[in-house]
Amino acid sequence: MGKNYRLAIRVDERNDEARRAEQAGNLSKAIKLYEQNIKENYADQVAFERLMIIYRKQKDYKDELRVINRGVELFK
């Protein structure tokens, strides 16, 4: 199995766990998992989108901008 394949599986598993945490109202856990995903050098749109939405709803514009900038850097 290739390195990128294993990374993709890990990212998907974290995204699934983060979605469940969001649905359960545990935003701090969801944020932690999505943040782990955006630190990987793997372009996964889900984590970026969800983090931007969560931070916007919390009016945490500084972190929202940080996520946007990381996305721009990674998706180039």
Side-chain angles (χ1 to χ4, degrees):
M1 239 184 268
K3 180 182 175 186
N4 283 340
Y5 179 77
R6 286 191 299 268
L7 178 58
I9 296 296
R10 246 188 353 258
V11 166
D12 283 343
E13 288 172 352
R14 277 191 223 123
N15 282 340
D16 289 342
E17 188 177 350
R19 278 189 212 107
R20 287 191 297 274
E22 271 191 85
Q23 291 170 347
N26 190 347
L27 290 183
S28 61
K29 181 177 180 179
I31 289 170
K32 179 182 174 187
L33 291 163
Y34 289 136
E35 286 284 356
Q36 287 176 347
N37 280 352
I38 71 167
K39 288 178 184 168
E40 301 280 2
N41 283 327
Y42 181 77
D44 174 65
Q45 188 175 344
V46 172
F48 285 92
E49 286 179 354
R50 294 308 308 156
L51 274 174
M52 288 185 292
I53 290 168
I54 291 169
Y55 286 140
R56 172 68 55 100
K57 286 181 178 179
Q58 293 179 340
K59 296 184 184 346
D60 186 348
Y61 304 118
K62 181 179 176 183
D63 278 327
E64 181 186 11
L65 182 58
R66 178 182 52 78
V67 171
I68 291 167
N69 288 333
R70 173 68 176 138
V72 168
E73 173 187 310
L74 188 61
F75 286 96
K76 276 188 200 181

